[in-house]
Amino acid sequence: MLHKLVTAPINLVVKIGEKVQEEADKQLYDLPTIQQKLIQLQMMFELGEIPEEAFQEKEDELLMRYEIAKRREIEQWEELTKKEMRNPRWENYCIYTV
């Protein structure tokens, strides 16, 4: 009982930290958000609002984030597929006979 009282605040801080990290990753590596920022960046450059050097620097950063996000998405799909192969939902594979 005492152990739970002592560790509860620490566990809460850890859980909050995990949530903050999760949200930060979601914002940094959200594919539609990155695509929108790339479009906005391109428009700003074409309208002469930012110099080419700043455009290249920001574009490189966004493309790197896009690549990481895409890799994460593929890894998630692969993991999901592995889980499905290990535990198939047989109701999805019903064969009906007449």
Side-chain angles (χ1 to χ4, degrees):
M1 179 74 171
L2 182 61
H3 180 269
K4 286 184 179 180
L5 288 173
V6 172
T7 60
I10 296 169
N11 292 337
L12 181 62
V13 169
V14 169
K15 289 212 182 283
I16 290 171
E18 289 170 350
K19 280 291 184 188
V20 168
Q21 180 67 44
E22 187 179 303
E23 283 300 313
D25 283 350
K26 194 183 297 182
Q27 288 180 12
L28 275 175
Y29 301 111
D30 180 58
L31 288 169
T33 301
I34 296 169
Q35 290 169 337
Q36 185 63 37
K37 288 184 178 195
L38 281 165
I39 292 168
Q40 290 173 342
L41 182 67
Q42 182 70 38
M43 290 174 56
M44 289 172 64
F45 176 66
E46 288 178 4
L47 293 172
E49 295 177 6
I50 58 171
E52 186 173 356
E53 185 178 307
F55 168 77
Q56 287 295 329
E57 190 175 304
K58 187 66 175 171
E59 183 185 46
D60 289 345
E61 175 198 331
L62 288 169
L63 290 174
M64 185 171 51
R65 285 175 36 199
Y66 185 87
E67 185 179 322
I68 292 168
K70 202 62 173 165
R71 197 173 322 127
R72 286 180 174 192
E73 181 182 65
I74 291 168
E75 288 169 1
Q76 287 174 346
W77 275 107
E78 288 172 349
E79 186 63 32
L80 182 64
T81 303
K82 286 178 188 175
K83 285 179 183 176
E84 283 292 320
M85 295 301 285
R86 283 181 272 171
N87 300 313
R89 293 187 204 134
W90 294 110
E91 63 271 9
N92 292 338
Y93 302 105
C94 292
I95 300 174
Y96 297 98
T97 59
V98 182

